[in-house]
Amino acid sequence: GEDVEQSLFLSVREGDSSVINCTYTDSSSTYLYWYKQEPGAGLQLLTYIFSNMDMKQDQRLTVLLNKKDKHLSLRIADTQTGDSAIYFCAESMGSSASKIIFGSGTRLSIRP
Amino acid sequence: EAGVVQSPRYKIIEKKQPVAFWCNPISGHNTLYWYRQNLGQGPELLIRYENEEAVDDSQLPKDRFSAERLKGVDSTLKIQPAELGDSAVYLCASSLDWANTGELFFGEGSRLTVL
């Protein structure tokens, strides 16, 4: 069935790297996404990766995709207090990006 | 450029009452989505529009929920009558071209509390 799984919580020390993991189910997903949600706000796209890529880097963000294991990760380098938020993994179902399924989100908290 | 606008931001009603939510997508975005987000969970798709046509409403509880996008721009989502389990945040999102990257632009949501 359609399911995107993430761990619910992650706590890291300020300045350390954060790694948020996700597993998905649809092997034909064309795109996989990471969205960020700050308190009281809607979701905002952080980054996405095309399914024929293994890695994508964008400043402090690194996305790794393991298609064989259907595993996606988001690494945030030098984590700052402003990175505190809920991070949602999402996959596009099928060969188009018309239907997008979200995970339950990982709440990232930063400790001093 | 204005983002996706939703209203009201907050709504508290008693069960069995009706409620309606309104969404104005980003100008030019032909695809519009309504998602429901329960506390501690990710958004779940209720309905997707391509212009004025509802192309995926398989997750919409049609006995009490209805939606429309008459002119292919603004959309309303209605619940009648509301039940306790409908308490959630209702998110509207729009996208320019779902056949491309599928990036969704979300509004801030309408938080519904049913007492």
Side-chain angles (χ1 to χ4, degrees), chain A residues 36-80:
Chain A
K36 178 181 181 182
Q37 186 177 34
E38 296 183 358
L43 282 72
Q44 193 167 24
L45 182 67
L46 260 187
T47 186
Y48 67 90
I49 188 167
F50 191 54
S51 59
N52 68 353
M53 298 169 66
D54 297 324
M55 185 182 86
K56 180 179 181 181
Q57 188 146 6
D58 183 3
Q59 300 182 331
R60 292 190 298 122
L61 306 178
T62 303
V63 178
L64 295 178
L65 174 60
N66 181 330
K67 283 196 73 175
K68 175 176 169 291
D69 295 337
K70 299 194 189 73
H71 183 267
L72 183 74
S73 68
L74 173 70
R75 178 177 180 269
I76 306 173
D78 187 25
T79 309
Q80 302 297 309

